[in-house]
Amino acid sequence: MENPNAHIDFLESGPLAPFKKWAAKWSLWPCHFITSCCGVELAHAFACGYDGERLGTLNLGIARQSNFIIIEGTITRKMARALQFVYGQMPDPKFVNVIGACGERGGIFWNSYNITHPSDIVPVDFFVPGCPITPEGLLRGVRALQDKIMGVDKTTIDFKKVELPFEEQLEERMVPTSPKLFAPTPEIKVDIKREVDWDFGKELEDKLKKELIGLYESMTITGVNRIAIKTTPGNLKVVAQKLKEMQFDHVKSVNVIQVPHERKFIVEYMAASYSVEELMPVLVTIFTEIGIKDPKLQSLMSVWESANYSEREMHEFFGVLFEGNDWMGKKFLLAPDTPDLPLRKEFKIPEERYAFEEGVEPEFMVPIEPPKDLYVPIWEEFIEKAYDSDEIIVPIGPHHAGSGHLRVTFRVKGDRIVDAIPEPGFVHRSMEKLAENKLYIQNIPLFERLAINDPANMNLAYVRAIENALSVEVPERAQYLRTIMAELSRIEAFYYDSGIFSLFFGHTTGFMYCMAIREMIIEALMQISGSRSGPSFIVPGGLRRDIPDTVLELIDNMTFALNRRMKKFESIFVYNPVTVARAKGVGVLTKEDAIRCGMVGPFLRASGVNYDVRKIAPYDAYDKVDFEVTTGDDGDCLGRFLGRLAEIKESVKIVKQAVDAVKGIQGPILSDDILGEYKEAASDIKGNFFRVYGNLVLPKGEWTTITEAARGTTLFTLISDGESNVPYRVRVISPCWMNLRGFMEAVKGERYADFWAVYGSFGYFPPEADR
Amino acid sequence: MIDITGLVSTILNNQVNIPLLYVIYEFLLKIPVIGSIVTFLLSIIPLFDVPIIRLLIGFVLWKPMWVLLIIPGFATLGTMLLILPWLERKLVGRMQWRVGPREIAPRTRGSIQLLADSLRFLCQEVIIHKDAHRLYFLQFPFLYFLPVLLPLLFINAGAIDHPLVPIETPYALQIMVGLISLMPVFIMGVGWSSNNRFAFIGTVREAFMYFAYEIPFIIVILAMIVLYGTSNTAEVITVANQGSWLHWGIVLNPLAALTFFIATVMATARLPFEIPEADQELAFGPFIEYSGIAFGLAYVMAYEKMYVLSAIMTMLFLGGGSGPVIPYLGELSYGIWFVIKTLIILLVMVNLRGVYPRYRLDQGLRIGWGAMLILALIALVWSIVIGVVL
C-alpha cells in the first residue's frame, strides 16, 4: 500500500490515457460485497428511485469482474479478512469507496472490540459520512470518484477553525453530557420479589413448587408474567426437564452475568411455551450461580435445542463451558484475533467521552494489524468425512452474490445439501458490551442499528424495557403514534425481505418494486422524524415530539398508494408460476421442528403456531385496534412468504385505524412520570432531553420485555444495580438470531439451489442476528 | 494455376443489387472536388482492366462476402453485441420503473454505455489464477467464436428468388445443428479449465441443461425439414414464402416455433432458465474466474449465441428476409427485414429477464425432458401431417 493512488496513476499513463480514464469513469462496477447494515441503503441507491445504473455503475458480478468496492460501514475483524481477499482478487485498476460513519473511525461503534478501520486494510478513495448514509450521499461519492478518475482533484476539503462569539443574551451551552456513574461493587440480583396483580402467576407458582419440590432453592415472582427459579448447577438439567414436561418447550434467551467482586457467574435460561395458550406470555427464568474459576455447567441443549446457539455465544463471550454442547472451544461469532472473553468485566473498552480537554489527543482504538490468513472454520475431520462419503464442500459467502454477511459451509451430495454449518458474526459489532458503557438513553440509537430496515420496532423494544422497569404509563396519543411507527417499520422490513427474496430467485423486477414501495414508507418515516432509517424517535415515556396532523394525513393517503403498488408487485412476482414452483413445498419446517428450534415471528406462525406478542401480551395501542394474526400450516418457503404479505395487509389496516383514532385524541405525548419537573416538555422534548433522561437510573433487578418486531419476538433484558446510570448488563435476543437455528434446519435435505429460496423466505438479516 | 481473371469476373458478376449505391455514386460525381477525386481514383487501373477501388468495393459487394461480412454477418453481429446489452438494460430498466444507463451520453440515452464497458474490460488486468489450466483458460473464450460464426455461413437472409446465403448446400440445416451443438462443449471447457467449485457446479449444470434442450431442438429442426421438404436454406426460404406470410413456419407449425423459442432461451441461459450461470447461486458459474477482456468475451458469449439462434429462428419460422420491398434499397431491404425480425425475437428474449425468476435445475430438466420433448414430438407429427400427407 505504498502508493494509494497507484490505480489512478495507471490510468493516466500511456498514450491511451484519455480512453482508459473515460472508460473507467463510466464503467465502475461495484462488486457484490455487502459488509454491513448500510447495504440497505446501497440497495436503495441501485433500485428505482435513485438508480445508480444511470452513472454506468452496475451491480453485476463478483470480485473478478468488477473494479470497485463500496464498503458499507463497519468492517469487523472477521469481515476484514474477507475484504482483504476480495480486494486482492480484483483486477487492477480498482477503486474503493467507504460509506457510513463506522467505516471512517468506527462511528457509533468506535470503541467496539470487534471492528477495524477499512483504511488500514485497503487504500480508500472516498469516504461518505452518515449513519446510515443516504442513497444520494452514496451516489455523490460515486460521482466524486468519477471526477477523481478524470483528474479533478477533490482529495481535501479545507477546514478552517473559527471562533464564534456568543451573543450576549444566550448562555453558553456545553455539549450535553452526564457523568457516567459506575457503582464499584454493585449488588446484582435477578430475582427481586415484586407484588403484582397476577392471579394466574400465583397458581402457576404453586404448581411449579409442587412439581419441582426439592429441586429449587427459591422461586419468586419478579413481575407480571415473570417467574424466577433459583437452583443449583447440579439440579439445573432436572429442573429443565421438569419444565419441559410442563410444556415450556423452548428457550428464549440464555444469559450469563458476571459479578467479579463476588467471584461468580449467574447463568440463566428463560423458558417459555408455544404449546399452551395461557402459558404463552409467561417467561420462566431458571438461574444458577457458578464460581468464576473454571466455570462449568451441564448444557441444556439436549432438553431445549433452541438454547444451542446462545450457549455457544455465551461460551465465547464469558468462557462458561457448557458440557454437552458440541461447539465448545470453537469460534462461532468472533474472529480468531478478537480479544478473548470480551464480555467479562475485566476486559475494558476505551471509555466514551464527548468533549476532549485542551491538549488531550483522543485515544482511539489501536490500529489493528491487517489479518494474514483466511479463517474458514472447516476442520480436517470435516473435510475427510465429506471426502469419504463422496460429497463436495461448498462454502458460500460472505463475498457472494447471494449470501449477505453470512458464511454457510455446505456438504453437498449430488444436488442435495447434507449438512449446513452457519458462520455468523461478520457484522458482530459487540452491542452488548458497548451498551454497558453508555447511558441508558444513549443506547437508543445503538440498538436501532440492530436492523436499520426495522428501526422503530428495535427502538420500541429497548424503550419498553426501560418503561417496564420504571413503571411508566405512556399517554394514549403517544401509544397510537408509536403503534403507527412500529407498523410502518414492520411493513418496511417485510418489503425489504420480499425484495431480497425475489432477488435470490434472479427476479430483479420484484426487488425494484419492493424498494419502490419501501421508498414511500421511508418518506413517511422521514416526515415523522427526519431520518430515513434511524429515527431514534421513541423515547422512554412517549415520543420525542408530536406528529402534526398533516403528516398523519400523508400516512393515511400513502396507504392507498401502497395498495396499488402492492398489487403490481403481486402480479409480477407473487403470482408468477416460476415463483410458486420454486417456493412451494421447499424448506419445510414442521410445527414440532419450529417449536424445538425456538422460531419466532411470522416464521413460527407459518408453521402453525398462533403466537404473536401483540396479541398475547398487548403493548401500546395493540389491544385497542382490530387485527388478525396470520398463521399457516405448510411451513414451507411459499407459506412463510405469503404469510408476511398477509401481515402487511393487517399492518396497513392497523395504521389506518390508528391514524383515524389518533386524530380524535389530544394531549401530551410524554408521560408525566418521566418528565418530573420539566412539564413544559410534554409535547416536545427538545431542549430538555439530557435534563430529563441524562441521569436515568433503573431500579435494582432484572427487567425483561418481549416485543414483536417485524421478524419476530425481540427480547431485551436489562440488568440494573440500582446505583449506576449505565446498565450493568444488556442481553439482546434479536429475532434473526433465534431464527438462524431453524433456518439451518430447513436447509438440510433440500437442493443446493433451494438454499436461496429458504434464505429469502426467512428474511434473515445478518446485522440483526449478529448484534 | 488459379484463373484470376475468371475469379474477378465471377465476383463482379455476382454483386448485391443496391440501386441506392448508384444514386450515391452519381451524386458524388456531381460534387465539384470530391467528384474529381472519385474520377481520379477510378482511373487507377493496375491490372485486369478493372479499377482497384471498384475491385475492393466489388469484393465487399460480392454476394457471399456481403452476406458474411455485412448482413447478417460480422458487422451486424458486432453492432448487436454493442447495442443489445444496452437495449436490454434500458428495456428492463423501464420495466423496473427506472432509466438504466444514461449519464454517459444523456442525449442518446446512454447508448455508448457498452463502449465504455468493453473499453474498460480491455484495459483491465487479466488474472489467471494459479489453479487454472492456463492454456485452455485463455483459449476457450476466443475459440468460442468458431461455432458461433460458422453457422452464419449457412443463414439465408434473402427472400423468394433472392437467396442471400454464403454457401448453398443441401445439408445446411444439419451442419448448423452440428455447429450449435458444439457451443456448450466450449462453455464446459471454460468451466473445467477454471478449476473452481462454482465453475464446476455451473459446468455440470450446463451439461445437464445441454441434453435437456438439445434433443427437442434437434427434433424441431427435423420437423421443419420435413415440413419444408428440404434442408437447403435457400430452398427453405423459397418454400416458406410461396404464397404469402401464410406459409411461414410459425403459421404452419406454431408448436415447433414455441419449442424452438424455449430451446433458444435454455441454450442461451436466459431467465427463467439462467440455471448454469445463476448469479445469486453460482456467481456466473463457469465464468467466475474470468476477468478483464477474457470476461468481456465470456460476457458476450451468450449474446452471440442468442443472435445466431434468433437468426435461425427468423429464417425457419418468420420467412427470412421477406417483406415489403423498400425502393432504392434493392437486395439490402431483405437484409433489413431480416435484421428487424431477428431483433424483435431478441428483444422478446431479453425482456424475459424482467418478468421471470429462475427455475431450479431439476425443474429445468423436467421441462426439457418432459413438456418440451412432448411438444417437439407433436410438432414433428404435425409437420408430417401437413408436409407429407396433405
Side-chain angles (χ1 to χ4, degrees):
Chain A
M1 216 196 290
E2 292 80 37
N3 179 9
N5 276 334
H7 299 294
I8 300 278
D9 294 346
F10 167 75
L11 288 178
E12 279 171 355
S13 64
L16 286 174
F19 296 105
K20 282 197 279 187
K21 282 199 289 191
W22 178 78
K25 175 185 178 187
W26 291 113
S27 178
L28 291 167
W29 286 17
C31 66
H32 267 293
F33 185 52
I34 313 297
T35 61
S36 197
C37 43
C38 279
V40 176
E41 296 294 13
L42 179 94
H44 276 281
F46 287 96
C48 49
Y50 294 93
D51 192 19
E53 208 187 335
R54 279 180 303 126
L55 305 175
T57 47
L58 178 67
N59 247 324
L60 182 83
I62 55 157
R64 292 264 194 244
Q65 290 111 37
S66 47
N67 61 345
F68 183 33
I69 305 187
I70 299 177
I71 296 172
E72 294 92 10
T74 333
I75 295 288
T76 59
R77 294 188 195 235
K78 227 179 199 178
M79 197 61 110
R81 287 179 166 67
L83 173 61
Q84 219 176 19
F85 277 82
V86 169
Y87 188 72
Q89 281 181 342
M90 281 165 65
D92 296 347
K94 49 200 171 186
F95 309 98
V96 182
N97 265 17
V98 173
I99 60 174
C102 34
E104 290 169 40
R105 279 284 154 198
I108 196 169
F109 312 111
W110 73 276
N111 51 357
S112 157
Y113 57 78
N114 202 29
I115 72 158
T116 61
H117 300 145
S119 51
D120 293 340
I121 300 162
V122 290
V124 178
D125 284 301
F126 274 98
F127 290 101
V128 182
C131 185
I133 52 108
T134 57
E136 293 98 324
L138 194 156
L139 293 179
R140 271 195 82 161
V142 175
R143 295 247 48 165
L145 180 61
Q146 287 183 339
D147 285 347
K148 186 178 173 182
I149 289 171
M150 289 312 272
V152 182
D153 187 23
K154 287 210 178 144
T155 43
T156 53
I157 305 165
D158 289 328
F159 285 109
K160 210 162 59 177
K161 194 169 183 180
V162 287
E163 293 286 333
L164 287 175
F166 277 96
E167 286 174 35
E168 298 258 321
Q169 294 87 355
L170 294 173
E171 53 172 321
E172 185 175 354
R173 272 196 196 166
M174 290 303 290
V175 184
T177 175
S178 299
K180 279 172 218 159
L181 307 167
F182 292 93
T185 52
E187 193 198 0
I188 303 300
K189 274 178 85 75
V190 294
D191 56 339
I192 289 175
K193 194 171 172 62
R194 284 188 194 89
E195 291 303 324
V196 285
D197 182 26
W198 185 34
D199 296 335
F200 178 68
K202 297 207 171 62
E203 276 172 41
L204 189 66
E205 194 188 5
D206 294 340
K207 205 171 145 199
L208 279 170
K209 275 182 177 162
K210 212 185 289 167
E211 285 282 328
L212 301 175
I213 193 151
L215 292 170
Y216 66 96
E217 286 179 9
S218 68
M219 195 180 293
T220 8
I221 294 180
T222 57
V224 179
N225 292 334
R226 306 282 180 270
I227 295 178
I229 304 169
K230 186 179 181 185
T231 178
T232 58
N235 281 339
L236 190 67
K237 196 161 184 177
V238 191
V239 173
Q241 266 152 358
K242 289 269 184 202
L243 279 178
K244 179 138 196 212
E245 280 159 27
M246 290 178 71
Q247 302 295 328
F248 285 96
D249 45 26
H250 70 287
V251 168
K252 280 228 185 296
S253 157
V254 180
N255 191 7
V256 173
I257 304 146
Q258 190 200 12
V259 194
H261 52 277
E262 293 175 26
R263 305 199 58 71
K264 69 175 182 187
F265 283 119
I266 302 172
V267 183
E268 50 178 32
Y269 287 78
M270 279 175 202
S273 172
Y274 283 150
S275 315
V276 184
E277 209 183 328
E278 53 193 6
L279 287 181
M280 275 181 183
V282 183
L283 277 184
V284 176
T285 310
I286 47 173
F287 70 97
T288 182
E289 289 172 1
I290 50 175
I292 211 159
K293 206 171 187 184
D294 193 19
K296 262 188 199 160
L297 205 64
Q298 280 268 303
S299 164
L300 297 191
M301 204 184 109
S302 52
V303 184
W304 288 312
E305 177 60 37
S306 38
N308 187 352
Y309 286 2
S310 294
E311 277 180 0
R312 294 182 191 183
E313 189 195 4
M314 286 299 112
H315 170 69
E316 257 187 317
F317 288 165
F318 286 99
V320 177
L321 193 77
F322 294 92
E323 288 170 330
N325 193 320
D326 55 356
W327 214 265
M328 293 299 108
K330 295 174 186 170
K331 295 276 176 192
F332 192 54
L333 271 174
L334 304 180
D337 57 349
T338 316
D340 283 340
L341 315 177
L343 251 67
R344 284 200 179 185
K345 290 280 177 194
E346 295 98 70
F347 178 80
K348 286 219 167 11
I349 53 174
E351 209 194 324
E352 196 173 60
R353 270 170 295 173
Y354 276 114
F356 295 103
E357 296 114 56
E358 204 60 36
V360 176
E361 276 294 304
E363 186 191 321
F364 287 123
M365 199 91 174
V366 192
I368 295 140
E369 281 283 303
K372 297 276 186 300
D373 58 322
L374 177 65
Y375 168 71
V376 181
I378 304 175
W379 301 276
E380 286 281 319
E381 74 254 39
F382 182 73
I383 295 173
E384 275 167 22
K385 216 168 140 194
Y387 191 79
D388 288 342
S389 48
D390 200 16
E391 296 156 0
I392 65 166
I393 294 174
V394 188
I396 304 274
H399 169 48
H400 190 92
S403 73
H405 344 252
L406 173 75
R407 181 184 283 141
V408 186
T409 310
F410 295 125
R411 267 168 48 193
V412 183
K413 184 161 188 153
D415 200 24
R416 296 274 178 192
I417 296 169
V418 180
D419 200 2
I421 297 171
E423 197 202 338
F426 280 94
V427 213
H428 175 64
R429 294 150 296 181
S430 66
M431 287 197 184
E432 288 180 10
K433 182 75 177 179
L434 294 181
E436 288 172 18
N437 288 278
K438 284 181 199 282
L439 302 178
Y440 283 103
I441 195 72
Q442 288 171 329
N443 283 331
I444 289 179
L446 181 72
F447 286 123
E448 214 171 50
R449 266 71 183 160
L450 276 171
I452 62 161
N453 49 19
D454 183 18
N457 275 316
M458 291 296 151
N459 190 339
L460 186 62
Y462 174 69
V463 165
R464 281 194 60 231
I466 296 177
E467 282 166 3
N468 179 19
L470 296 172
S471 322
V472 173
E473 272 294 314
V474 181
E476 202 182 2
R477 184 174 167 86
Q479 280 184 3
Y480 275 105
L481 294 177
R482 280 157 70 144
T483 309
I484 292 172
M485 283 192 74
E487 289 309 310
L488 286 178
S489 175
R490 190 183 311 277
I491 301 170
E492 190 193 0
F494 283 164
Y495 270 117
Y496 182 79
D497 293 348
S498 306
I500 296 298
F501 186 57
S502 42
L503 193 63
F504 280 169
F505 283 168
H507 197 259
T508 39
T509 310
F511 169 76
M512 300 286 169
Y513 283 18
C514 285
M515 290 299 144
I517 296 168
R518 265 175 61 86
E519 278 301 339
M520 294 194 299
I521 299 156
I522 286 178
E523 176 65 32
L525 284 178
M526 251 164 88
Q527 296 271 352
I528 292 172
S529 69
S531 169
R532 276 175 68 90
S533 37
S536 299
F537 200 68
I538 299 168
V539 290
L543 294 167
R544 254 178 26 212
R545 57 177 176 272
D546 208 348
I547 302 177
D549 279 351
T550 48
V551 175
L552 293 173
E553 199 64 45
L554 180 127
I555 292 170
D556 200 22
N557 292 340
M558 189 208 68
T559 54
F560 292 103
L562 195 72
N563 269 329
R564 279 193 57 191
R565 286 196 175 183
M566 224 149 75
K567 287 208 179 77
K568 284 193 175 153
F569 172 65
E570 280 175 5
S571 63
I572 198 149
F573 182 68
V574 184
Y575 299 136
N576 200 315
V578 187
T579 310
V580 178
R582 279 297 301 271
K584 199 166 171 57
V586 168
V588 177
L589 205 63
T590 58
K591 190 172 176 179
E592 290 72 35
D593 272 346
I595 293 173
R596 187 170 61 87
C597 298
M599 300 297 292
V600 290
F603 317 107
L604 176 75
R605 297 195 277 276
S607 290
V609 183
N610 191 352
Y611 178 92
D612 190 329
V613 181
R614 292 177 293 174
K615 279 283 185 205
I616 58 158
Y619 53 93
D620 282 347
Y622 283 113
D623 49 352
K624 295 165 204 154
V625 290
D626 169 41
F627 69 101
E628 306 266 318
V629 177
T630 319
T631 53
D633 298 323
D634 300 340
D636 59 353
C637 291
L638 192 65
R640 285 189 284 268
F641 176 58
L642 293 182
R644 274 178 294 161
L645 285 188
E647 287 200 13
I648 288 171
K649 289 189 178 122
E650 293 301 316
S651 292
V652 172
K653 221 165 89 184
I654 297 175
V655 170
K656 282 188 174 190
Q657 289 174 40
V659 167
D660 285 345
V662 81
K663 280 178 190 157
I665 303 165
Q666 293 304 325
I669 46 95
L670 268 171
S671 164
D672 280 352
D673 307 344
I674 206 141
L675 284 176
E677 54 187 295
Y678 303 103
K679 291 278 186 281
E680 78 273 15
S683 66
D684 193 348
I685 192 71
K686 197 168 99 189
N688 295 310
F689 195 81
F690 265 82
R691 279 179 224 141
V692 174
Y693 293 113
N695 270 323
L696 214 59
V697 179
L698 299 198
K700 191 191 288 182
E702 183 192 279
W703 308 97
T704 305
T705 42
I706 47 175
T707 308
E708 187 76 12
R711 298 186 184 87
T713 314
T714 313
L715 181 138
F716 269 91
T717 303
L718 299 181
I719 288 154
S720 165
D721 52 16
E723 301 164 62
S724 320
N725 57 5
V726 294
Y728 187 78
R729 167 109 174 86
V730 183
R731 179 75 175 129
V732 196
I733 297 283
S734 54
C736 284
W737 177 247
M738 289 310 283
N739 289 333
L740 182 59
R741 184 72 196 83
F743 171 23
M744 289 301 134
E745 197 67 31
V747 167
K748 275 178 205 161
E750 295 298 338
R751 286 177 187 277
Y752 173 72
D754 283 335
F755 172 70
W756 285 271
V758 179
Y759 194 145
S761 76
F762 274 108
Y764 184 72
F765 188 58
E768 188 180 302
D770 294 348
R771 285 157 286 155
Chain B
M1 189 63 197
I2 306 163
D3 180 11
I4 294 179
T5 328
L7 192 65
V8 169
S9 65
T10 318
I11 290 176
L12 291 184
N13 287 335
N14 192 12
Q15 295 276 296
V16 178
N17 176 25
I18 304 173
L20 185 68
L21 287 182
Y22 295 105
V23 175
I24 293 172
Y25 170 64
E26 277 161 20
F27 179 71
L28 280 180
L29 284 181
K30 280 177 200 157
I31 304 172
V33 182
I34 297 171
S36 49
I37 292 174
V38 171
T39 330
F40 169 71
L41 284 176
L42 282 175
S43 66
I44 309 170
I45 309 172
L47 59 160
F48 314 130
D49 302 336
V50 183
I52 185 99
I53 295 291
R54 177 76 184 86
L55 199 62
L56 283 177
I57 294 174
F59 184 68
V60 174
L61 289 182
W62 182 30
K63 235 178 211 173
M65 206 40 78
W66 162 265
V67 174
L68 191 62
L69 287 183
I70 312 292
I71 286 177
F74 298 157
T76 320
L77 177 65
T79 322
M80 282 290 179
L81 291 187
L82 271 184
I83 65 158
L84 198 60
W86 169 73
L87 263 179
E88 174 180 6
R89 282 163 75 171
K90 286 304 263 193
L91 276 174
V92 174
R94 182 55 59 90
M95 286 174 82
Q96 297 172 345
W97 306 344
R98 56 196 183 90
V99 277
R102 185 168 187 279
E103 298 296 310
I104 184 168
R107 293 239 176 111
T108 53
R109 301 286 178 263
S111 55
I112 48 173
Q113 180 62 49
L114 258 284
L115 205 63
D117 284 342
S118 45
L119 205 57
R120 194 261 294 175
F121 276 132
L122 197 67
C123 301
Q124 237 182 343
E125 186 187 3
V126 176
I127 299 172
I128 306 167
H129 60 120
K130 67 179 179 198
D131 289 341
H133 196 300
R134 248 187 121 76
L135 188 66
Y136 296 131
F137 186 77
L138 281 181
Q139 257 178 21
F140 278 125
F142 293 92
L143 278 183
Y144 188 76
F145 276 94
L146 215 65
V148 168
L149 296 183
L150 285 180
L152 290 176
L153 284 174
F154 306 101
I155 285 174
N156 185 356
I160 190 162
D161 298 335
H162 290 280
L164 283 175
V165 54
I167 298 176
E168 239 189 276
T169 146
Y171 306 109
L173 280 175
Q174 286 89 330
I175 296 172
M176 273 202 276
V177 168
L179 286 168
I180 287 163
S181 306
L182 266 182
M183 291 178 184
V185 178
F186 285 83
I187 295 185
M188 276 179 245
V190 159
W192 170 73
S193 63
S194 292
N195 205 357
N196 177 300
R197 273 169 226 280
F198 297 115
F200 170 68
I201 297 174
T203 309
V204 173
R205 285 183 175 194
E206 174 78 33
F208 270 117
M209 289 306 289
Y210 172 39
F211 286 110
Y213 71 76
E214 198 64 30
I215 291 167
F217 180 77
I218 292 172
I219 293 175
V220 167
I221 297 271
L222 193 64
M224 295 321 284
I225 293 175
V226 169
L227 185 68
Y228 291 131
T230 173
S231 58
N232 185 343
T233 44
E235 287 172 24
V236 162
I237 297 296
T238 315
V239 178
N241 291 316
Q242 262 166 356
S244 58
W245 57 272
L246 282 172
H247 280 83
W248 286 3
I250 196 166
V251 182
L252 290 182
N253 199 342
L255 277 183
L258 180 69
T259 318
F260 192 95
F261 182 73
I262 300 174
T264 311
V265 175
M266 275 189 174
T268 50
R270 307 293 305 172
L271 285 165
F273 298 106
E274 196 210 20
I275 296 164
E277 286 165 30
D279 192 13
Q280 280 77 23
E281 294 159 24
L282 299 175
F284 282 116
F287 312 118
I288 184 168
E289 291 288 356
Y290 280 86
S291 58
I293 188 63
F295 177 72
L297 288 176
Y299 180 66
V300 294
M301 267 186 186
Y303 291 98
E304 292 160 13
K305 202 171 179 181
M306 263 167 78
Y307 175 69
V308 170
L309 286 170
S310 310
I312 294 174
M313 190 172 177
T314 312
M315 189 177 70
L316 283 182
F317 296 99
L318 296 179
S322 65
V325 176
I326 307 165
Y328 289 112
L329 286 186
E331 283 181 322
L332 183 63
S333 74
Y334 305 130
I336 287 176
W337 284 116
F338 187 84
V339 171
I340 288 174
K341 284 174 189 173
T342 312
L343 196 61
I344 289 170
I345 298 175
L346 284 172
L347 289 183
V348 172
M349 221 183 285
V350 148
N351 263 351
L352 290 177
R353 200 184 120 195
V355 183
Y356 284 111
R358 182 188 307 120
Y359 273 118
R360 216 165 47 207
L361 177 62
D362 59 321
Q363 289 163 344
L365 291 181
R366 198 170 298 137
I367 290 170
W369 287 105
M372 269 176 69
L373 193 61
I374 293 166
L375 274 180
L377 287 173
I378 294 173
L380 181 62
V381 173
W382 182 254
S383 282
I384 294 170
V385 170
I386 292 217
V388 181
V389 181
L390 291 180

